[in-house]
Amino acid sequence: MTEPSPRRGVALLDVHRLRLVEIPAPPVPPGERAAMDRAWDEAVRANPSFFDGPVAASAGLEWEGPRSAVLTWARITYRRYALRLVPGATARLPPLFVSIAQPTDDGRLLVGRMSSSTAAPGRWQPPGGSAEPPEDSGSLDTAALARHAARELAEETGLDTAPDEMTLRSIVHGEEGDVGVLFLAPPRPEPLLRERFAALVASETALGREPELDRIALVRSPAELARLGGTQVDYLEPIVRRYAGSAPRSDAGPA
């Protein structure tokens, strides 16, 4: 097996088959743990909505055949991500997340802006979120990730989509080793997308909660994306280039 070729910035890898292998999380040295705890406590003071729940982290990505890769992952909690704020930390683990390309029936893609209650307020990105480890000793596989992607899409946009309608299309591979598993959702009419999102926002507001996304937009090109203003996650433009306005195409293959 070989690792994906080194690249500058984010890469969108053409992967249609993914095998996931769990490994134990490497221990955090005592000195780094103390710094991690201080950084986490400071982050919680700044945003009390943060919680130290279980999360799956990326531990490596390798090719094992044409459009086929193996992803190693480890069970941690969100607190460990605070090591990103500790200079020189050696026990960092990059995030593992799911992302959804939700097209309209005329070829545009849905993007959302993160609300003020999230870790990245004002940032534009596709629907999605951190991957969750299975309970107890259950296995994490693409079916589990598809279920998680369907749940994230519903929670953030109000769209109900069956997990078996989610198609694995690509792997987002970041410069720091972060890995996103990208699913393509079935096309939906624009009025339905806007109606479901408006209903979700109204429901969350009535319950006294702030939705994860405070705004959505439908874009066909990087130029339209740029006109939204604000910041955007680094993998958003490559996803728009690849999946908006035209049929999916190959972007990268085994090294």
Side-chain angles (χ1 to χ4, degrees):
M1 294 188 293
T2 58
E3 294 184 359
S5 301
R7 300 165 184 267
R8 294 186 62 185
V10 66
L12 197 58
L13 308 174
D14 191 26
V15 173
H16 293 183
R17 187 172 63 225
L18 182 65
R19 183 167 62 90
L20 292 103
V21 177
E22 182 178 3
I23 65 169
V28 180
E32 290 185 18
R33 179 169 293 279
M36 175 185 74
D37 289 341
R38 288 193 297 271
W40 173 256
D41 291 343
E42 184 176 338
V44 172
R45 283 194 294 272
N47 190 337
S49 67
F50 288 176
F51 69 101
D52 192 21
V55 66
S58 170
L61 180 69
E62 295 181 314
W63 293 110
E64 63 175 1
R67 298 186 180 183
S68 178
V70 58
L71 169 65
T72 51
W73 66 279
R75 297 170 190 257
I76 60 170
T77 68
Y78 281 98
R79 177 184 298 266
R80 184 146 180 171
Y81 287 149
L83 283 173
R84 292 177 291 185
L85 305 174
V86 177
T90 61
R92 298 181 188 178
L93 284 175
L96 170 61
F97 59 94
V98 295
S99 190
I100 302 98
Q102 173 61 67
T104 61
D105 50 12
D106 65 355
R108 291 173 290 169
L109 280 188
L110 183 150
V111 298
R113 188 176 67 181
M114 301 294 284
S115 69
S116 60
S117 64
T118 64
R123 187 178 71 187
W124 289 94
Q125 61 185 59
S130 299
E132 298 176 357
E135 295 181 2
D136 302 323
S137 59
S139 62
L140 186 63
D141 54 19
T142 53
L145 292 177
R147 291 192 296 271
H148 184 50
R151 186 167 66 251
E152 290 284 348
L153 186 62
E155 291 175 353
E156 295 184 0
T157 70
L159 289 166
D160 292 322
T161 304
D164 61 6
E165 293 184 290
M166 294 285 186
T167 305
L168 174 63
R169 298 301 304 182
S170 301
I171 295 293
V172 177
H173 193 217
E175 200 168 16
E176 300 299 321
D178 48 306
V179 170
V181 182
L182 177 68
F183 291 91
L184 180 64
R188 301 289 188 93
E190 176 183 351
L192 178 65
L193 297 179
R194 296 196 181 280
E195 174 189 314
R196 295 290 174 83
F197 181 69
L200 173 67
V201 171
S203 174
E204 291 292 284
T205 302
L207 293 171
R209 298 194 297 247
E210 187 174 10
E212 289 187 59
L213 303 179
D214 63 14
R215 181 182 166 193
I216 62 169
L218 303 172
V219 299
R220 193 187 304 275
S221 68
E224 291 184 6
L225 189 61
R227 286 198 288 271
L228 294 176
T231 61
Q232 58 181 259
V233 74
D234 59 1
Y235 55 87
L236 181 54
E237 183 175 332
I239 289 176
V240 169
R241 286 186 181 278
R242 182 165 181 179
Y243 290 105
S246 62
R249 58 181 173 79
S250 294
D251 183 63

